[in-house]
Amino acid sequence: MKREVMKAVAFGTVATIVVAFLIVAGSRNLAHFDAALVGYTFAVLFATFGIVYRYAMWLQRPPTALYWRRGWQMFLKRGHRRRNAAMWGVRMVKDVALNGFIRNRDLLRWAAHLLLMWGCILAFAITIPLVFGWLHFGTVTGRPGWYRAFLFGFPSFTFSTESAIGFIIFHGLVWASILVIGGVMLAVRRRVRDHGAAALERFGEDFLPLILLFGVSMTGLMLTVCYTWLDGYGYEFIAILHAITVIFTLLWLPFGKLFHVFQRMAQLGVSFYRDVGQREGLAPCRRCGVGYATSMHVADLIDVERTLGFDYAVADPRIGHYQHICPACRRKMLVLSQGRIWADERRGFDREGANRAGNLDTPN
Amino acid sequence: MGVPGNMEFFIDPSRCIGCQACVQACSECDTHKGHAMIHLEYIDRSLSTQTAPVVCMHCDIPTCAEVCPADAIKRTADGVVQSARKPRCIACSNCVMACPFGVPKMQVEMELMMKCDMCYDRTSAGLKPMCATVCPSQALFFGTREELAELRPRSRPANTFHFGNQTITTKVNMLVPKGGGAASVNVIDAFDEEPVGMSISIDPLLAGMYVEDQRNAS
């Protein structure tokens, strides 16, 4: 087994053991663990291993490893910490909570993503504590119709099952389903109508997650419909159907598109790397002299390229490495190099012509 | 479905007249609608009207994809290096800074890298890329090698580029003289190269045509 695989397996195993321990401890030695949800628990444990394994493999790729390291270094760098902390707060709200950058890409995509994201966050925030036995409800002695929520076995707030709060809490997953189904509909609408999306999309990457999320939400809603209006008709079948969709989604989490949820946080590290780098100075292009990237970024990229097996070193000491040329000058040099080849060819013809005729005519 | 194997992109910047038709057409493409991905700029406007049209060269081993920390850039089986996948791109600009051809564009407000994808919605359906469809001087040409040989008998495609010690081969071809000594393009050679000035006698813009005339005459 390769070293990076062994490391990833080790990280995945440790994370899985930690989650298993938290389940046991949080449910007070499984006293509040709901045995009916054991399938979900094992699916979550598998997903934990898979996600941490893939994350660890991902972090070991040379460019990712560099950004991971540099992101933390820049975030914790002396003299920048206060500003970084403030920007962290701003970005968590603007980019993470409100998906501001997606809004700038496309309004429909933004609306779909916001609904999907908050629907999923709400659903996970409810189901994970319930599945792990971290949250359970008990009756309140002497107050019929009242419930008390217990968090990690500790008693917390009480509420009447007939109250608005009770209605909202007990239908939490219904609200989550409505958000997710709305998001899925908008996303599918975009995917079937947008020619650009149609050219690039793939079933496994783009449609499967939508189908899974729709399946989870719809079967979940069917359960509510079943016990609210159908006197529990077919409840067991629907419950099994719901469990299958949820467990499949959890098992698939580390492998497909939904893994971007965990990768996206790297964007924060990148922003600190960029901020600190810009405050510390830009590297001038060795052809045009204009600053085009942070000096740190240029130096880091040279290292990363070398690690990856690229060798853009240039013998000309004025250049040293092609990374020291700005993108605009690279484009110009590409075009000028082609012109130079044609000019060389032409000079060859000119010489031939001059030798033949003893003079050189300039074309009109 | 992908780009048909016999259809290739040929770029001949020396024929570019800077008309901007490619830029306008590019932004019509459905995969990056509203955003022109082709680069078209003056080499040095104070000296010359020479322009530099640059599309993605679609490298066989794309540096942009290799240096991407998010694994967001994929090369499809037909050799097209796709734009960054939207869910993955973390806007680090590694690809922008690493591309030897200076192609990827960072859309800062979207936190997303976008680049020329050879109008994949069109080319994967058997159509030409927008830029090659409208280019009036055939600086950008998309077709078969046979069509190219008929149109440009004195040119030949080169897809090997040198950047110092690094050699990059690409799906997109650049046209060089057919009988010339250069089988590949050494980009570093142009470090000191000046843009074409007012003197037609040293003008690479017309050099290709002149070479063809001379060959036809001899």
Side-chain angles (χ1 to χ4, degrees):
Chain A
M1 200 185 285
K2 286 182 181 173
R3 193 166 172 269
E4 63 262 29
V5 176
M6 285 176 67
K7 274 175 84 173
V9 168
F11 278 118
T13 307
V14 168
T16 310
I17 291 169
V18 167
V19 172
F21 171 78
L22 288 174
I23 291 172
V24 174
S27 62
R28 300 285 178 102
N29 283 331
L30 303 181
H32 305 300
F33 184 79
D34 187 346
L37 303 177
V38 71
Y40 295 135
T41 308
F42 279 102
V44 170
L45 288 174
F46 178 86
T48 303
F49 177 83
I51 289 164
V52 174
Y53 171 84
R54 186 170 170 194
Y55 207 85
M57 288 297 287
W58 179 58
L59 284 187
Q60 291 179 82
R61 296 179 69 239
T64 324
L66 181 102
Y67 266 116
W68 172 259
R69 198 170 64 246
R70 281 275 190 263
W72 284 109
Q73 281 174 352
M74 294 307 113
F75 183 68
L76 299 171
K77 191 163 189 174
R78 277 180 194 278
H80 299 271
R81 288 175 190 165
R82 192 170 297 172
R83 198 186 297 193
N84 283 345
M87 284 313 295
W88 182 85
V90 170
R91 283 171 181 144
M92 281 301 284
V93 173
K94 190 167 139 279
D95 292 338
V96 178
L98 299 177
N99 295 165
F101 63 102
I102 303 180
R103 187 174 187 276
N104 293 334
R105 294 177 185 180
D106 181 343
L107 275 178
L108 183 59
R109 178 189 285 270
W110 175 68
H113 194 271
L114 217 52
L115 289 170
L116 286 168
M117 184 187 82
W118 280 109
C120 289
I121 288 175
L122 180 59
F124 270 91
I126 294 169
T127 48
I128 292 290
L130 282 174
V131 166
F132 288 178
W134 293 347
L135 172 68
H136 74 278
F137 298 98
T139 50
V140 182
T141 316
R143 297 183 78 180
W146 279 72
Y147 270 112
R148 183 185 299 282
F150 290 85
L151 208 55
F152 298 105
F154 297 105
S156 66
F157 64 98
T158 57
F159 58 92
S160 165
T161 51
E162 302 297 324
S163 67
I165 294 287
F167 183 79
I168 290 169
I169 288 176
F170 282 132
H171 292 84
L173 289 175
V174 172
W175 318 134
S177 298
I178 290 170
L179 291 176
V180 170
I181 290 171
V184 168
M185 285 178 155
L186 290 180
V188 170
R189 182 181 189 276
R190 194 182 73 80
R191 291 217 162 271
V192 295
R193 292 169 71 112
D194 185 324
H195 290 164
L200 300 168
E201 66 202 4
R202 288 160 307 153
F203 178 81
E205 190 71 8
D206 298 307
F207 280 105
L208 186 58
L210 294 174
I211 292 168
L212 287 172
L213 292 176
F214 182 78
V216 170
S217 305
M218 193 47 89
T219 53
L221 278 185
M222 281 162 65
L223 283 172
T224 305
V225 169
C226 179
Y227 68 70
T228 308
W229 291 300
L230 300 179
D231 295 328
Y233 178 77
Y235 188 87
E236 282 186 17
F237 172 72
I238 299 170
I240 290 171
L241 204 60
H242 183 63
I244 290 170
T245 56
V246 172
I247 290 170
F248 190 84
T249 304
L250 288 169
L251 297 183
W252 187 78
L253 208 50
F255 306 105
K257 186 179 194 171
L258 297 178
F259 188 71
H260 81 272
V261 173
F262 308 98
Q263 288 181 307
R264 174 57 60 191
M265 291 301 151
Q267 195 166 328
L268 290 170
V270 164
S271 63
F272 297 122
Y273 180 78
R274 193 172 48 224
D275 288 352
V276 175
Q278 278 172 354
R279 280 177 231 142
E280 293 188 343
L282 296 180
C285 169
R286 293 193 179 171
R287 182 172 176 272
C288 69
V290 175
Y292 66 101
T294 69
S295 303
M296 180 167 56
H297 196 180
V298 173
D300 284 343
L301 258 182
I302 291 173
D303 280 348
V304 166
E305 286 174 357
R306 194 179 297 128
T307 312
L308 291 167
F310 290 104
D311 184 5
Y312 282 101
V314 177
D316 187 337
R318 294 173 301 163
I319 305 174
H321 195 283
Y322 198 59
Q323 205 57 59
H324 295 302
I325 304 292
C326 73
C329 281
R330 292 178 204 175
R331 296 190 290 273
K332 291 173 183 177
M333 285 170 66
L334 175 70
V335 167
L336 288 169
S337 60
Q338 189 234 13
R340 186 186 163 99
I341 293 172
W342 279 103
D344 284 348
E345 180 74 1
R346 178 199 162 98
R347 277 190 283 272
F349 270 100
D350 284 349
R351 276 194 298 275
E352 279 177 30
N355 289 340
R356 270 202 311 275
N359 59 29
L360 177 64
D361 291 330
T362 302
N364 295 315
Chain B
M1 204 164 46
V3 179
N6 63 334
M7 300 295 281
E8 291 184 66
F9 202 119
F10 303 91
I11 180 166
D12 188 352
S14 65
R15 294 178 79 94
C16 179
I17 57 172
C19 70
Q20 301 274 340
C22 54
V23 176
Q24 301 306 321
C26 183
S27 62
E28 298 284 329
C29 176
D30 271 340
T31 51
H32 45 81
K33 34 183 155 340
H35 301 276
M37 291 294 109
I38 190 168
H39 294 270
L40 179 61
E41 54 213 338
Y42 289 104
I43 302 284
D44 186 341
R45 188 63 187 90
S46 63
L47 295 175
S48 158
T49 55
Q50 187 183 4
T51 44
V54 175
V55 295
C56 178
M57 301 300 283
H58 298 282
C59 304
D60 293 334
I61 300 173
T63 312
C64 61
E66 295 290 325
V67 300
C68 176
D71 200 17
I73 305 171
K74 295 291 180 189
R75 182 173 175 270
T76 42
D78 49 15
V80 173
V81 181
Q82 301 290 349
S83 211
R85 288 191 184 170
K86 293 181 182 70
R88 290 193 183 185
C89 180
I90 54 172
C92 68
S93 293
N94 263 12
C95 52
V96 177
M97 293 304 148
C99 171
F101 300 102
V103 166
K105 292 185 176 184
M106 181 50 63
Q107 309 290 347
V108 176
E109 75 288 1
M110 298 188 211
E111 302 239 351
L112 177 69
M113 181 283 275
M114 292 170 76
K115 63 177 272 298
C116 158
D117 61 357
M118 213 188 267
C119 289
Y120 204 65
D121 58 321
R122 293 174 58 82
T123 48
S124 63
L127 298 170
K128 295 182 179 187
M130 293 298 281
C131 58
T133 305
V134 299
C135 181
S137 63
Q138 291 177 337
L140 307 162
F141 179 78
F142 187 80
T144 63
R145 290 207 169 215
E146 291 72 33
E147 287 171 335
L148 181 84
E150 201 172 316
L151 281 168
R152 311 289 303 281
R154 303 301 177 192
S155 300
R156 70 180 163 121
N159 72 339
T160 304
F161 300 84
H162 304 290
F163 304 90
N165 297 338
Q166 186 65 48
T167 298
I168 295 288
T169 56
T170 61
K171 179 178 175 69
V172 172
N173 303 282
M174 182 170 264
L175 294 183
V176 297
K178 195 170 195 175
S184 56
V185 180
N186 190 341
V187 179
I188 301 298
D189 281 351
F191 184 69
D192 295 313
E193 199 77 2
E194 292 290 331
V196 177
M198 298 301 289
S199 168
I200 269 181
S201 64
I202 57 160
D203 190 350
L205 188 71
L206 299 175
M209 292 175 233
Y210 175 58
V211 167
E212 289 185 12
D213 286 347
Q214 293 296 303
R215 281 204 166 130
N216 288 335
S218 62

